[in-house]
Amino acid sequence: MEQCARIAAARQAAEAAGVALFVNARIDTYLRAVGDPAQRLAETLRRAEAFLAAGADGVFVPGVVDVQGIAALVSGVDGPVNVLAGPGAPTVATLAELGVARVSLGSSLAEAAYGLVRRAATEALTGGTYTALTPATSYGELNTLLR
């Protein structure tokens, strides 16, 4: 598998350079709805095993949000599992209980920000009001956070 060769090369390069590198191999079988849904878990686990054997430290499986699927991944992968969370996903506490090692929000934060921008612009242009802009982080607080 071509991806295994890339992972092995990254691992070898990091070790040769003395760099502590965590390789989090991404598996898009759920996000891209790869293959037969009945075989998706098996294919994901097959890829995870190959990637870990090639030198990955963990796997990132975006697109799986059901508790049973996540539990099956965690129990079937011999390494840390990272999932993509957002609307419809279990809570961070539930993911932790399931054994998920890392929770990513991915583009959800930017998508939420763009949604706010759209709502605020629509409100200002159609009604002339600005309620979508509240509550907001104050200018002073932003400056403090970004120091």
Side-chain angles (χ1 to χ4, degrees):
M1 197 182 317
E2 188 177 325
Q3 188 63 8
C4 290
R6 290 182 179 143
I7 291 168
R11 172 61 55 221
Q12 290 168 357
E15 288 176 1
V19 173
L21 177 68
F22 186 94
V23 177
N24 198 22
R26 182 172 168 151
I27 303 172
D28 280 355
T29 48
Y30 284 88
L31 185 65
R32 301 282 182 219
V34 174
D36 178 8
Q39 298 301 316
R40 198 161 291 142
L41 175 62
E43 175 61 17
T44 304
L45 295 175
R46 184 189 69 73
R47 291 182 189 198
E49 183 178 359
F51 294 166
L52 292 169
D57 298 293
V59 296
F60 174 41
V61 187
V64 59
V65 294
D66 65 289
V67 170
Q68 295 80 10
I70 293 168
L73 284 172
V74 169
S75 76
V77 173
D78 189 24
V81 173
N82 170 206
V83 298
L84 182 65
T91 65
V92 171
T94 299
L95 293 171
E97 289 171 10
L98 292 171
V100 170
R102 181 172 170 237
V103 177
S104 297
L105 296 177
S107 63
S108 296
L109 292 173
E111 291 167 3
Y114 286 125
L116 170 61
V117 169
R118 175 181 281 187
R119 289 188 304 277
T122 299
E123 179 186 352
L125 291 170
T126 61
T129 58
Y130 318 102
T131 58
L133 298 174
T134 59
T137 304
S138 73
Y139 183 76
E141 186 178 355
L142 283 173
N143 280 332
T144 300
L145 290 170
L146 297 174
R147 278 186 209 182

